[in-house]
Structures are given as C-alpha cells and as structure tokens.
Amino acid sequence: MKFAKWKQVFTRTKVISFVTASILLGGGILTTNPAHAAGGTALSRTGWTASASVTQSNGSAASVVLDGNTTTIWSTGTALTSSQWFTVDMGAAKTFDRIVLDSGTSSNYIRGYSLYVSSDGTNWGNPVVSGVGNGQMIDIRFPSQTKQFVKIQSTEGNGATSNPWKIAELNAYTGSTEAEVTYNFATEVNQGSPYVFGGTGNDQTDAGVIAALKGKGFNLTRLDAQMIGIVPSKLPGTTTATTVANYKAAMADSATGDVADPSTWNWEDSGLESKLNAYDSAGYKIMLVFAYTSPWLSYSGAKTGVPMDLDVYQDIITKIYQHFASKVDYWEVWNEPDNDSVFSLSGSPYTDRILAYRDMYYAAASGIRSVSATAPIGGPALASSYWTGWVDSMFNDSRIANDVNFISFHNYALNETEPVLNWKTYLANKGKSSIPLFMDEWNVQGKISLITPMDNMDDSAISFTGKRLIDNYKNGIFSTSLYSLGEGLNFGFWYTTFDGQLASKTRTWDVLANRIGLGTGQGSVKQTVSQVGIRSGMAVTNAAGEKVVAFSNPESFSRDVAVTIQNTGISGTSAYLEIYEASDSYTGASVKQYQTVNVSGGTISTTVNVPDNAVVAFKIKTGTAPAQPPAYVSPLPNAGLLDRSTWMASGGTGTATVNSTAKNAIDKYLDTRWTPGVAQSAGNFYQIDLGAVTTFDRLVMKSYGTGYAHGFSVYVSNDGSNWGSAIATGGSSNVIVNGNQANHDLTLPLQNARYVKVVLTTGYSGWWSLHDFELYHNLAKSASASASNAASGFPASNVIDGDNSTAWVSVNNAPTPHYITLTWPSGKSFSSLGLMTHNALGQGPTNWNIEVSDDGSTNWTSVASSGTVTWQYNTSTRELRTVSFAAVTNKKGVRVKINAWNNQWLHDAVDELIVR
C-alpha cells in the first residue's frame, strides 16, 4: 500500500481558483492574460442583428451582445437546455476565423456548443466546430469562413447546470493565429498523479489483454466485490435459504463450514478472484468496491436495498477485506448511493438516503478498522459529478469523519474540468485539501462532436480521451478511471477492446503515460500563462525530471500551435523536441520526429503541428537532434484496398431504408456495424456509391458470429438504377470462419462501375450485421509473374497471390540488379506500383526502378525510381512502399529492377506487388 505518500502529495497540491486558472474551453481557453489571447482583427459590428431561441421575459434583447457594453447582458431567463440557440446576422458575407463569447459572469456560460455558419440563415450544414465551455470567456477558433450568419447551438443542458445562458458581448475576428500557448516552467500550479491513467476492470477477463493494457499505460483499476454472488444464498450443503437469523447464529458459534465461514464463499463470483489476480500480477493499483448487499440481508429483498442488520453487513465486509487485503490498495463503500436504481430505501425505516449511507459506511469502516488502522477507505462514488451535501454529511459525522480517506464520484458529462475544480475548491474551503479525489468512472454518451456518435476505434476517440486525460492530469486529481477496460461489441466508445484487439484510443495512454512518462510517478504541472485555439494542453516536469508538453486536438482540422516555453533552464541557444503522436496514422509507440528549436534566454519559441483528432506530446531535449526516425508505415497494409473516405453508403430491408448506420461498414473500424435491424430476408440490401466509376476486382465483407449474409448476390451499376445481372453470389457455403469472425472474400471479374449493391437471397432468423465492406483492385493479380532468380519454395508467383503470408525470396548472394516481372496478355494502364515486404530491415529492397514494356519482353523503359528506402521493422509486420508515376497505357509488362537491399540474411524478399 502506497497511500501514505500520496496523502503527502495532495497536502502539497495548490488549489486553482476559478479566477486565475487556465480553464479549458471549446476552441480555446480562458487565460490569465486575455489580452495575449486577442489574435486577429475584430470585425465591425455595424448593421449586425441578433436573435435567440428564447429571451428572458422583461430582460435585455439579443441585440445587446453587439452594443459594446459588458454590463448589458442577454439571458435565456431559464436553465440552459440543449435546444437553445443564438444567431447573429452580419448583414453581408464576412470573413472570420474566431468567435469570442463573454457571458459577463463566471457561472452563466454555455456548457456545450456547436458553431454553425450559413449564407442564408436557413441552411446550416454541419458544425464548423464543437466544444465545451468552462468559464466566462469562450474563445472559439476554426478554419476561416466567409458567411453572413453565425449560430451557436447549445448541445448540453438538461442537468448540466440550473443556471440560464447569458451573453454580454459577442465578437468576430479575422486573421487570427490558429492556436497559441505560453507555458512557464518556473511556476508549479499542481502536482500530477500517475493514477489518472486508470480504468474500470469488471468487464475484462482476459489476463493477456489486462497485461497488454498495462503495457499501454493503464495502471489502476476498479473492481466490484458483489456480496450477492460471494456470500452463499443457501446454507452450505443444504437447500435452506440464508437469512439474517441463521447467519447471525453462524457468526456466534464460529463453526467451520457454515455460512459465516469465508471458506464456503464463492470468491470467484463473476471471475472476481481471477481478474483481481491478473490485475495484481500485471502491476495495477486496485480499488475494490463493496458493491451492494445480498437480497436476504436487504430490506427491499434486492441487492440494492439497505442492509437490515448492520452487524451482519459489517461481518461480511470485514471478511471480504481480509480475503483480498494483500492485493487491494483502496476500498470503496457502495456504488452510486445517490442513484435510486442502485440504492433503494424501500422497506427500510430510513427516509434520508444520506443517513442510510452514513450508517452503512460506519459499519463497513468499523469492520475494516478492526483489522487495519491504515487501509484507505472512501466513497461515496456519487453518480452526480458534484454534490457536496453527501460529503458534508460524511465529514460532519464524528463516527466516520476520520475514515473518509478519499472522495469519489463519477462523471459522464462532457465537462471534465468543472467538477474537479469544484471539488478541489470545496475541499480547500473545508481545510481538507489533502484528501485525494477519485473520478472512478468517466466517459460520455459516445459523442464528442455532439452530433456524430464516436466509435470505439475512431480517431475522434483518441483525441477525446487525450483531452480528458490531459485536463484531469493538469487539474491535479489523484485518479480517474475510464469506463471500461472491457470487451465490447457494438457498444461503441465505452469499451477498450474488441475481439481481443486494443482500441486505437489506447494509443493516447501509451503516449501520455509511457512515452512522456506521466504514468511513472508524480509530475509537476507548470503554469499555463495563456492558451487559445487548442482545446487541451499542459506543460509538466515528469517524475524523471524531464520537461514535457502535451496537446490534444479533437477538431476535424489540424492546428499549427505557436508555442512559447519560458524558463526551461536551458543555458545554450539550441535544443530539440522529441515528438510523439497518437492518431489514426501514428500509434505513438515510437518517436514521430525530432524538431530543432532555438532557445533565447531560456525561452523556446517554435510552432508545433497538431493534426486533426490527434494527441501530440514532446520532450524538450538539449543538444543536437538525432537523425529523423523512419517515416511511419501502417503495420498491416491491405494490398490493393481502395480508399473509402469519399464513399456513400445506404441500406435497407427492401421495403424500408436503414441508412443511419450505413457508414459504419465503410469506416474501417471493426467494432461498428450496419444492420437493418430485422431477421435476414430476401431483399435486404447494402449499397455503396463510390462517387465515380472505379475499377475493382475483389469484395470482402466482414461480420461476426452468425451475423454474416447467409445468401446473397452482388450487382454493379453506373447510374444506381440499372443493375443488370449478378456478378457474384455467396452465402453460408463460402463464408470463412476464423474464431468469432465470419467473412466473405470474393474474387470478382474486373469491374468498372460507380455503384455496388449486395442483395440477400436467403432468409435467416438472425440480423445481418455488416462490420466492414471492402473493395480491392490490384492489376498484379491478373498477371503472370517471373523472376530472374528465386530461392527454392519461394517463387515469383507469391507476389501476386493476394496472400501477405507468402513471399518471393531471392537466392543468397543474388547478382545486382535482379528482377521481378509481371506480364499480361493484353495491354494495361496504371500509374503506381506498391512493394510489400516483412522483416524489412533484414531483407527489404532499399532501391529499385520500375520499368515498363509494350510487349512484356523487350524494350524496357524506366518510368520511376524508389530512391533510397528506409524501412522500420525487423519483424513479421508487413510494410508497404508505393511509388507513383505518370500514367502509362497499353503496357503488357512491368518489372521491378532491384538495385540494393538489406542483406542481413544474404537475400531479399517481396510479399506482394500492387499495381494500379
């Protein structure tokens, strides 16, 4: 147990006030120096008008936000809701890239918003930017727009705040800096805890995945000890139901083998013991929740009821503690007692929920204290992100006040900053700043843009979790736990693995916890002097003494962030940044790039690019930057897979369209799906518009379990109306089952079409669940392949078989150059050639020419050169390099002239060639 040292950490933590904090906002933040944030030129508001969805009765009109007077304030007059909006008509089209909202007060700002623009005030399209407000000044920056109308739509209310929404002034700017930050390493504002990188563990049972998540940086988990499953509901060896009376009798006689003897209990309930052992073995800190009670002990007859006998409840808690004490670090009493559905007063003598909880807490704490004087006990694990009445009552109860060793709450709202700062301010005012805060469940309702659902492996999940982790670390909370570390199917963002694979959002943990060292020990969070245009950012001296900076950009556009870092302690004039990125393109597992920066008087001034939906973090290093790392290559390239980013998808039952989730089958994330939501029947269809006539020759459809198409035909069209005859069929007879996966992989006659449709021809009782729909084109597959030499068992034909696991391999000490040649019986047109290999650092070609021939045998002409190629891996990971060139036509032959290769094993190897 390491709790004592962390109490010291929190004793030293400085509490940030709402006035002076650098508080996160949607497109920017409220800064300690608003003048610094005033990038760009303010537009004249002459002739502008304003309107709103609702205005306070007898209050100021919407137009006061344009009068230049911060004391005149528009207000909704009612609590903020997600249906409220505010619109400005600028009289004519204006060019602008920044909107600043001043609410005039510290508590009446908009909580969640989307900003729209329009030319006519009617057609708004998709939001330009969405975000979350956290204070009086909201500085929203976005790519430059030229429009007449601006609308700010509230996206969070209905409990987010009881306050009305107010605006004192609204200004628009042009020529603004995309984003700018200033950090000061001379001033500490908080101490950061490594246990921000936690996750709830009930839903994960795979020890291998648990260890893999630890490798990604997760280091704390929260598990339930469910009394209903642990304590026998029947007396051991009998059919007699357990009751309070016979349990108390067993307590009194202390006999072995009876219901009060923990050796008769089911410690493996819901896999608890195995899960706890797996997390412990992997090195996690563990919180165990005393989750509810047993129905036979409950006034309500359900596990969520108040215990009828607190002596029995205490005895059970004591024995659960004794059983798991060697592996558990923190003990939490109950879960969400403020939630009616999990804490019921039904049948009990209590009318006050808080009093009932205090009595239970006293019983639980008394049981633990009878065994251990130091075990950290806490709660109340509130469903509400901020409800001080519960904690006030606990602090005011002399029986338990000294045994409230931490405060815990859950947060499923978009705003992660406000609850933490509210709790810290509350504890400071109580003189209890040393008590750690646990946000032991966090997530949000599967959304970040507030419009588009966020998928488990979507890149927006990477940046969203980055925003949460950065802000929580920056605000000095002791621990936060993502809900959940479990295995999910079609439940989107809430889960961390799918079919045993780690979701891409775990890259965020890897970058922050591992690469820049925030998960290895206590860090020192430094002062944010100013920060605008980037949603989340912080500067930290990590436990190893390294100076690090992290940003998250959950926008659909990249940010060039002007970074000023003061008081770095660097005495020279040069330094460099060691940059890591978690994104859809970068795993964060290795350095993305080194960036040389200038230092003047200990201050660094530079610009760092943060791509859309990405987390970028860097260490500040002294000296000369090393050579740049190899360019990142996707570890599992799909040979010939067509780009799906512009495709449009639709589907239905044959009589009704079901388009709302059709995009899920072309989003490249296997944990999302499209389904018509009914039993499979002839006529169910899924259709793709490729946007233009496209060449393809292979179709792959991926499903899980029995959700594959049990009988279907494939059609193509150039107009979406005339489909002709089926070009392929399939179903149960040719499904490829691999574990849970059930795929169809169809080789098609070469097609040139804009539309593709799959229509079911057979019924089945289950739904059709299409997780991925892929089209491929690779001219190499229709070619004949030869090579100037080949090792035995590794022929040239392996480079055109569509199988990444086979390869052509040269003979040892092959002559230079040597060739792989593809020929066709008729002329082909193409403009690129991709070369895929594995163990590339040991056997990958490093320089080659691409040559073409009209007849496939003579007069070879070079059309492109690879230059010197650097590979990244020396493992089974496949890497792909594609060389593009001016399109050639009517060519019967193309060949790769290999001039050099990595010769660790005296030969070179190519897995696949992709010609398009």
Side-chain angles (χ1 to χ4, degrees), residues 126 384 435 513 561 573 615:
N126 293 322
S384 305
I435 293 183
V561 184
T573 59
V615 172

Side-chain angles (χ1 to χ4, degrees), residues 76-81 107-108 111 157-165 418:
T76 60
T78 59
L80 178 70
T81 71
S107 59
N108 297 104
R111 262 49 180 184
N158 305 324
T161 177
S162 60
N163 296 326
W165 174 22
E418 188 172 33

